[in-house]
Amino acid sequence: MTTPSVVGIDLGTTFSLAAFVENGRPVVVRDARGTALVPSCISFHDDGTVLVGSEAKARALTDPEHTIFSVKRLMGRTLADLRKELDLIPHQIVERETADGRKVLRVVIAGHEYTPEELSALILKEVRRRAGNPTKAVITVPAYFDDTQRQATRDAGRIAGLDVLRIVNEPTAAALAYGLDTRGSGTVAVYDLGGGTFDCSILALSDGVFKVLATNGDTYLGGDDFDRLLMQAAAKDMGVDLSAKDAELLQHLRDAAERTKIALSANDSAELTVDIAARGIAYARTFTRTEFEALIRPLIDRSLERCKAALRDAGLTVAKVDEVVLVGGSTRIPYVRRRVGEFFNTTPHTGLNPDEVVALGAAVQADILTSGRRDMLLLDVVPLSLGVETLGGVVDKLVHRNSTVPARGMTRYTTAADNQTAIILNIYQGERELTKDCRFLGTFKLSSIPPMPAQFAQVDVTFLVDHDGILTVSAKELRSGAQAQVTVQPAHGLSSSEVDQLVNDSIEHAHADFTARRLIELRNKATGDLRATDKGLAQAGDQLDAAQRDAIALSAAALTAASAGTDVTALQAAISAHAATTNPLATLIMNEVVRQRLSGSDAEKLDAGKL
Ligand code: ADP
Ligand code: MG
């Protein structure tokens, strides 16, 4: 294999992979065994090593606490966005606020905290390594990804050491992989059914130029659901309760169900077997393809409803669709192919591997951008409307959903008060009317407006969404010429300096950093605990006996010593030990506090009685 300098990367929820153009044709990067798909799964080991891919996936069963998957669902999100995801991800997810008020999401894995960008960067690094460490890439995202999610993906690329040439929509990449751009003009529907998500996009092609007309989908519909249906059927047979959280049994069942599902794509029937000898479990049952089709039918119906909605958004009927492209591993299922073909009344394209086509298309796009050989433009749409908050918390939309990028929108504002010298704009993304129902992206300020009577200043505000779907806001006061411009830094997510820092830190450093931070946190805790002990001892007077005081003095000395060292584990242990010896003291102090509170409120009651 030649080593490419630029690759296209499909950063998927369940699988990721890279492709590049070789001798004018896109090819996927395969390992020695011929495998292209890298499970989007990461596992952390206590010695600091990090595994990514199938080795990490294999550990999910034995060591779920150190293993993470589905990171894509967390990209560019806030805790408030994640209600459903929180059930799927067995790790604690916290939101930290930075000094400048941005919210940064962090996943807690075995005591360490990681941002989704860092985790995705680990996957990208592995994909990059397999391709021979190229420095440039095009990375794909779902068409519905909003500004923040795209920024987060771009940041992940940078952390992984990649110059991200462009963020491209997955359906656009798929159409490109099939070379549909050479067909001149027409309408293309892209049906993407992956591991956990479903997307349908309608693309218009004219003069070899693509434009995404509309997208729709369901972020909780995919192959995992088919596995679950088979698992449920098997569990019912076996008389086991799936909600019992029997991790070992669940994982065995899940693996077996997925194997059976995949076998049913090639055969009319397949056996589902679960053997856990140690627990005396030996189960086998044959599923026919017909049975499986009946199970998944409601889900496929649901996906086709979404296709209808996408067509409606695009203002088209099924008859207008010329070509259908199948994307995602789950479209290998013959029933899915049949139903999609029937729905669109045409035979879908299936010539390329559905789980590789997005990466192949990204490679084509990367090649176009770097070689300049082909004169082609790829147009995409803005997934969600963008606007500014006006009086009463209403969103004034400047760029509408599904407009083609680059998209521009403009509006004129004036000052509300006399001598107002600054105007502050709150920027929102979403389809709803009120800011409270939309996503807050950031604040933008135009200052240095010369003092003028109210309503006198005229401020033109322009929104520009570039090819990556990233928003730049600029404002200009017409009388004075005062102007300002920002690329919207989302109110959550990483700042560019944080990204820069992460770019420079390899994961080895990241581990050292975490240890250093942990040490600082623990030392702070130790100092606080020791101070509280001193205060408590003074307060407790002779209420503690000599043995208790000796024990506390001993553990305090040990804690002081540990705090001066650099052994995190030892310090943690010293903190715990000290907490144990000071327990009687803490109880004493607590009782005292409660007693004072009670008498305090009694005093208030007396005061109230006097009034
Ligand atoms: P992503 O969601 O990350 O884009 P993929 O497009 O690779 O992932 O889809 C992964 C899903 O495809 C998994 O649920 C997997 O079980 C399923 N899959 C892969 N091969 C087959 C097959 N031959 N038959 C049915 N499902 C398959
Ligand atoms: Mg995919």
Side-chain angles (χ1 to χ4, degrees), residues 37-50:
L37 302 181
V38 181
S40 303
C41 189
I42 309 160
S43 78
F44 296 87
H45 292 240
D46 286 333
D47 64 4
T49 49
V50 180

Side-chain angles (χ1 to χ4, degrees), residues 84 91 179 196-197 223 234 326 366 503 506 525 544 599-600:
K84 278 190 171 175
H91 303 280
T197 60
L326 293 184
V503 173
S506 67
K525 173 145 177 53
L544 285 180
S599 61

Side-chain angles (χ1 to χ4, degrees), residues 275-542:
D275 282 301
I276 314 175
R279 293 173 54 177
I281 297 176
Y283 169 81
R285 163 174 171 185
T286 301
F287 280 92
T288 65
R289 194 187 269 186
T290 318
E291 273 176 288
F292 177 63
E293 291 179 355
L295 282 177
I296 66 170
R297 183 190 178 139
L299 297 180
I300 306 308
D301 288 344
R302 209 160 97 206
S303 75
L304 295 174
E305 284 302 319
R306 307 273 95 206
C307 295
K308 258 187 215 156
L311 282 169
R312 208 181 308 126
D313 275 359
L316 294 175
T317 58
V318 163
K320 287 275 187 298
V321 175
D322 303 301
E323 320 254 2
V324 178
V325 172
L326 293 184
V327 181
S330 299
T331 63
R332 290 177 188 269
I333 298 171
Y335 179 67
V336 173
R337 294 187 175 187
R338 200 162 73 233
R339 291 292 308 277
V340 175
E342 280 165 13
F343 177 85
F344 286 104
N345 223 345
T346 176
T347 309
H349 286 276
T350 52
L352 299 172
N353 285 334
D355 29 28
E356 295 175 358
V357 345
V358 168
L360 290 170
V364 172
Q365 170 71 323
D367 187 55
I368 292 168
L369 290 171
T370 47
S371 71
R373 269 191 290 107
R374 279 162 80 185
D375 179 25
M376 186 181 10
L377 215 68
L378 287 174
L379 296 178
D380 277 329
V381 293
V382 180
L384 293 166
S385 302
L386 293 159
V388 168
E389 176 176 26
T390 59
L391 281 178
V394 173
V395 182
D396 179 13
K397 298 198 175 78
L398 269 67
V399 172
H400 288 272
R401 171 181 147 83
N402 282 341
S403 30
T404 311
V405 294
R408 190 183 289 272
M410 218 193 71
T411 189
R412 184 166 292 175
Y413 293 108
T414 185
T415 43
D418 285 343
N419 301 325
Q420 184 178 335
T421 55
I423 192 163
I424 290 175
L425 305 172
N426 288 322
I427 301 160
Y428 285 86
Q429 182 164 41
E431 301 320 303
R432 305 279 293 275
E433 295 300 320
L434 297 179
T435 51
K436 70 175 176 57
D437 301 316
C438 290
R439 171 187 275 266
F440 175 63
L441 284 183
T443 288
F444 175 71
K445 183 173 177 183
L446 175 68
S447 41
S448 68
I449 298 173
M452 283 182 252
Q455 313 282 315
F456 222 70
Q458 291 198 330
V459 180
D460 274 355
V461 176
T462 307
F463 275 29
L464 178 68
V465 182
D466 70 11
H467 276 113
D468 292 335
I470 289 170
L471 171 69
T472 303
V473 179
S474 54
K476 183 175 184 180
E477 199 287 307
L478 297 181
R479 291 179 201 279
S480 62
Q483 51 184 312
Q485 175 170 321
V486 287
T487 296
V488 173
Q489 171 66 56
H492 50 281
L494 303 178
S495 74
S496 62
S497 61
E498 279 161 348
V499 173
D500 285 342
Q501 203 199 322
L502 290 168
V503 173
N504 296 329
D505 293 350
S506 67
I507 184 63
E508 292 81 20
H509 286 133
H511 258 285
D513 286 352
F514 280 119
T515 312
R517 192 170 66 210
R518 186 90 188 109
L519 191 62
I520 292 167
E521 284 166 3
L522 289 175
R523 277 181 185 154
N524 288 341
K525 173 145 177 53
T527 312
D529 286 358
L530 288 167
R531 203 176 294 137
T533 308
D534 287 341
K535 209 171 140 204
L537 285 173
Q539 230 173 302
D542 55 8

Side-chain angles (χ1 to χ4, degrees), residues 43-65:
S43 78
F44 296 87
H45 292 240
D46 286 333
D47 64 4
T49 49
V50 180
L51 294 178
V52 179
S54 45
E55 286 163 302
K57 195 178 174 186
R59 261 184 60 135
L61 171 62
T62 52
D63 193 8
E65 210 183 305

